[in-house]
Amino acid sequence: MQKFTNNASVNEWIEDKINLVKPDNIVLIDGSKEQIEALRAEACSTGEMIKLNQDLLPDCYLHRTAVNDVARVEGRTFICAPTKELAGPTNNWMDPDEAYKMLYDIARDSYKGRTMYIIPYSMGPVGSRFSKIGFELTDSIYVVLNMCIMTRVGLKVIEALGDSNDWVRGLHCKCAIDEEKRYICQFPQDNTIISVNSGYGGNVLLGKKCFALRIASYQGWKEGWQAEHMLILGVEKPTGEVEYICAAFPSACGKTNLAMLIPPKAYQEKGYKVWCVGDDISWIRKGEDGRLYAINPENGFFGVAPGTNEKSNPNALAATRKGTIFTNVALNLDNNTVWWEGLDKNPPANAMEWTGKPWNGQTSDQKGAHPNSRFTAPAENCPCISSEFENPQGVPISAFVFGGRRAKLAPLVYQSRDWNHGVFVGSIMASETTAAASGAVGVVRRDPMAMLPFCGYNMGDYWQHWIDIGKTLDPDKAPKIFNVNWFRKDDDGNFMWPGFGDNLRVLEWILDRCDGKVDADEVPIGYVPKAEDINREGIEDEVSLDSLKAMLEVDKGLWKTEAEGIAEFYAKFGDKLPKVLADELATLNENLK
Ligand code: OXD
Ligand code: MN
């Protein structure tokens, strides 16, 4: 047997996969600069990547995926648990034996004429008690280079693993990028992920959604911790004290923007700062002091490019100025840089659109960048990256914030009455669809805790796990749980809240509630602020007190209809629905009478 590492379980598994896919060459990724440089050069020589203007964008590259391979594929993502019930009603399920057979048939001999790259990676700082290790086998240099940004890669990881068998197996085969044979399969009971026929980020960077959410959520259930689809940010007060918030939002709700928020002028002048610990995923465990602590298991940002600009998110933009891989954006041929819709108002006239076709910058029916085009940027590039980003102990969480896009229903912010009610608030999360996604606009999509496509087991068990975690926490130390809605609209269809940096005003109220510094009004769905307690300094003209009051209103009629929708959704879970949540729904109905 070949000895890739000193770990017998790793060597055995790799050997087995080599015999299956039959690569011509095998390369162990050691994480060194020299190796990364050589791989970049090789990818450029084959056209897999394009080297961008190294003066303006040092160490930056452009990659184009196949046109049929531009997003995560939820319909082809499976939880391959021993029974359908273990996967639950919100996941696609496949019997593990059948799935392995089908996937191995697809993967067999698929590396012939290709190189197998073995990527040892750590999710979380190497050696932290929060962190977990994975090996991804891939035949794509693009995947290797992205994984080197998004995770901690290299020999230090192999050393940290020692002879443990606690690591996640990941096999990625590009095959022929055949949509009909594209599968993203998670085997939570086997710590295994197999992804075939895709070359797009979310499907193939196996550390991210597949491991850090689907497999890790299952591991957390079994081991007493949590993997959540949550950003982590720190709010620094003028006193220098920093408090941390974890927040979950469905796609298209501005998660990366919130994670890197720039405080409004009035707050900056007082000395407020916001620090980003993570923009997508949190791994959460109880600390010795009884509080919950979170780490960001990732090492970079895989952000949506369109709409990112100097105004919406200068920190994200700054993060992409070096060492970044752009995927499916437009190429400006005049200066060999990149462009996307919403970057600025000057699309390049001499350009190539994301597919590589010539483009004159005029938006007729052509777009420069694909709407789901991405940047993969190192976290360390971000000007507001938290000093705690690498802290192996994580950061203590004061508040969990859930949110969604609701034109009329949810108030700007409300607080749950207690932990269990907070779990209910997370479980009823929903967002109205936007024009950015295909399908009808304004349709409510239920997305509990923003985990709908990412929970690796039965969502009913997942809710019970949240409830059980709460039982282990002293209520004084447990994070308080809130819901926000930046997207409330007036009767003319205009957004009522300015959003972006001004969201700090709401976060301030949230933290004041956590610190017992501010009162609230009790309403049928929880506690809402007194309008005067949301600081409007600097936006008095834009947001009147009356408008703020309107944003905090709870319309009983709308909530009654909502409660019917929740009951319908909950019914899918049968006896897996925790009694606590059924009781919370009954309380809501009672409160709405
Ligand atoms: C993401 C997502 O790409 O949630 O982070 O879809
Ligand atoms: Mn996400």
Side-chain angles (χ1 to χ4, degrees):
M1 192 168 68
Q2 275 179 281
K3 212 163 164 263
F4 303 101
T5 70
N6 285 327
N7 183 307
S9 62
V10 171
N11 293 342
E12 205 177 298
W13 181 79
I14 296 178
E15 174 104 353
D16 191 52
K17 296 301 162 287
I18 290 171
N19 291 335
L20 175 74
V21 299
K22 305 255 170 46
D24 280 16
N25 302 302
I26 299 168
V27 174
L28 178 67
I29 301 301
D30 59 19
S32 68
K33 278 207 168 66
E34 298 71 36
Q35 194 184 41
I36 289 175
E37 213 37 75
L39 288 170
R40 285 168 167 168
E42 189 179 336
C44 290
S45 75
T46 61
E48 189 178 349
M49 296 206 311
I50 295 168
K51 192 170 190 164
L52 295 166
N53 184 324
Q54 295 297 295
D55 293 328
L56 297 173
L57 296 169
D59 292 330
C60 290
Y61 294 82
L62 168 66
H63 171 78
R64 301 187 182 113
T65 65
V67 291
N68 72 355
D69 189 27
V70 293
R72 286 188 291 104
V73 280
E74 290 177 15
R76 306 198 69 91
T77 299
F78 291 82
I79 300 299
C80 306
T83 65
K84 190 167 171 28
E85 197 191 33
L86 276 165
T90 54
N91 279 314
N92 300 316
W93 173 79
M94 220 188 280
D95 172 76
D97 291 338
E98 280 171 32
Y100 280 126
K101 181 174 179 325
M102 179 195 69
L103 294 164
Y104 288 165
D105 283 349
I106 294 173
R108 187 164 297 111
D109 297 342
S110 69
Y111 278 39
K112 275 195 173 155
R114 300 184 181 183
T115 299
M116 171 184 279
Y117 301 97
I118 302 172
I119 314 173
Y121 66 97
S122 173
M123 299 311 292
V126 178
S128 154
R129 76 183 179 107
F130 287 77
S131 299
K132 294 263 183 191
I133 283 171
F135 279 77
E136 175 165 357
L137 308 181
T138 180
D139 51 348
S140 157
I141 296 182
Y142 169 75
V143 167
V144 173
L145 295 174
N146 273 274
M147 286 292 285
C148 287
I149 297 173
M150 293 304 296
T151 73
R152 281 98 171 160
V153 167
L155 301 179
K156 56 185 187 261
V157 175
I158 299 179
E159 205 175 300
L161 182 64
D163 57 9
S164 166
N165 190 24
D166 181 11
W167 56 278
V168 170
R169 289 107 175 110
L171 173 65
H172 165 238
C173 309
K174 270 196 301 191
C175 304
I177 315 285
D178 178 351
E179 280 171 281
E180 303 297 318
K181 290 191 184 154
R182 185 169 298 153
Y183 292 97
I184 320 299
C185 292
Q186 283 71 200
F187 301 78
Q189 284 72 11
D190 301 346
N191 263 350
T192 297
I193 306 159
I194 302 180
S195 164
V196 292
N197 275 297
S198 176
Y200 168 78
N203 301 327
V204 298
L205 308 180
L206 301 185
K208 193 173 178 63
K209 304 299 189 179
C210 303
F211 178 172
L213 287 175
R214 297 193 190 100
I215 298 283
S217 60
Y218 175 81
Q219 293 177 327
W221 180 38
K222 293 291 156 190
E223 298 168 8
W225 54 282
Q226 292 171 277
E228 298 297 337
H229 191 196
M230 289 179 166
L231 64 87
I232 312 168
L233 64 78
V235 177
E236 182 176 333
K237 307 264 180 71
T239 55
E241 183 202 6
V242 186
E243 289 183 275
Y244 295 91
I245 293 175
C246 284
F249 297 87
S251 321
C253 290
K255 216 163 132 202
T256 303
N257 293 348
L258 182 66
M260 300 178 189
L261 175 154
I262 305 266
K265 210 153 171 282
Y267 280 74
Q268 286 179 28
E269 282 164 7
K270 284 188 201 135
Y272 279 85
K273 294 189 179 111
V274 171
W275 301 107
C276 173
V277 182
D279 78 328
D280 198 36
I281 299 174
S282 301
W283 282 3
I284 299 162
R285 283 178 188 262
K286 195 166 156 181
E288 273 171 16
D289 62 359
R291 295 186 69 188
L292 286 185
Y293 283 73
I295 64 153
N296 168 12
E298 301 191 280
N299 200 29
F301 306 115
F302 185 62
V304 177
T308 305
N309 60 46
E310 254 329 315
K311 189 156 179 284
S312 66
N313 196 336
N315 285 313
L317 196 60
T320 67
R321 299 296 92 179
K322 60 177 190 229
T324 292
I325 300 173
F326 297 93
T327 303
N328 292 343
V329 298
L331 177 63
N332 181 339
L333 293 170
D334 283 338
N335 62 4
N336 198 26
T337 61
V338 288
W339 190 87
W340 52 78
E341 278 66 19
L343 174 64
D344 54 41
K345 297 211 166 79
N346 310 307
N350 177 26
M352 276 177 166
E353 46 125 84
W354 66 274
T355 59
K357 285 201 217 109
W359 186 53
N360 64 8
Q362 303 301 311
T363 16
S364 50
D365 52 350
Q366 250 179 326
K367 280 216 183 292
H370 186 276
N372 192 36
S373 54
R374 298 278 176 151
F375 53 80
T376 316
E380 64 180 15
N381 285 359
C382 180
C384 66
I385 195 72
S386 164
S387 59
E388 304 308 295
F389 174 69
E390 293 281 356
N391 186 340
Q393 310 303 332
V395 294
I397 310 165
S398 297
F400 284 126
V401 176
F402 297 117
R405 193 179 269 277
R406 301 307 295 263
K408 291 284 172 204
L409 184 85
L412 177 63
V413 55
Y414 70 100
Q415 182 184 1
S416 66
R417 285 182 294 271
D418 54 27
W419 180 272
N420 282 349
H421 180 229
V423 178
F424 172 75
V425 169
S427 79
I428 65 168
M429 255 175 76
S431 208
E432 285 149 16
T433 49
T434 66
S438 55
V441 174
V443 174
V444 175
R445 183 191 198 234
R446 299 236 152 254
D447 191 353
M449 282 84 169
M451 283 289 277
L452 187 71
F454 306 120
C455 186
Y457 59 110
N458 193 311
M459 186 74 77
D461 289 325
Y462 165 80
W463 289 329
Q464 187 60 52
H465 183 45
W466 263 89
I467 293 162
D468 292 342
I469 292 274
K471 286 184 202 151
T472 71
L473 300 173
D474 172 345
D476 287 343
K477 294 188 173 166
K480 306 281 179 280
I481 304 180
F482 299 79
N483 190 88
V484 298
N485 176 22
W486 315 133
F487 302 96
R488 189 115 165 195
K489 286 185 174 169
D490 63 19
D491 291 340
D492 299 326
N494 304 310
F495 287 117
M496 299 172 82
W497 179 248
F500 296 101
D502 290 311
N503 291 337
L504 182 57
R505 301 169 191 278
V506 174
L507 300 186
E508 186 186 28
W509 182 81
I510 286 174
L511 291 174
D512 281 349
R513 284 296 289 170
C514 294
D515 300 338
K517 287 191 190 150
V518 66
D519 212 355
D521 287 330
E522 186 156 8
V523 294
I525 60 169
Y527 300 108
V528 294
K530 296 176 186 302
E532 312 71 54
D533 289 334
I534 300 283
N535 182 0
R536 290 186 305 122
E537 190 186 342
I539 55 165
E540 296 91 339
D541 294 345
E542 212 177 327
V543 182
S544 68
L545 195 59
D546 281 347
S547 173
L548 196 48
K549 281 184 183 153
M551 276 179 252
L552 294 168
E553 245 158 46
V554 173
D555 181 320
K556 281 193 180 185
L558 289 179
W559 273 95
K560 278 183 189 158
T561 311
E562 182 72 3
E564 286 166 18
I566 296 165
E568 210 176 289
F569 182 60
Y570 273 2
K572 288 190 188 173
F573 295 87
D575 59 11
K576 279 285 181 192
L577 179 73
K579 182 171 179 313
V580 163
L581 296 188
D583 291 348
E584 288 291 346
L585 179 56
T587 305
L588 174 64
N589 277 314
E590 195 54 40
N591 291 350
L592 291 170
K593 273 187 188 153

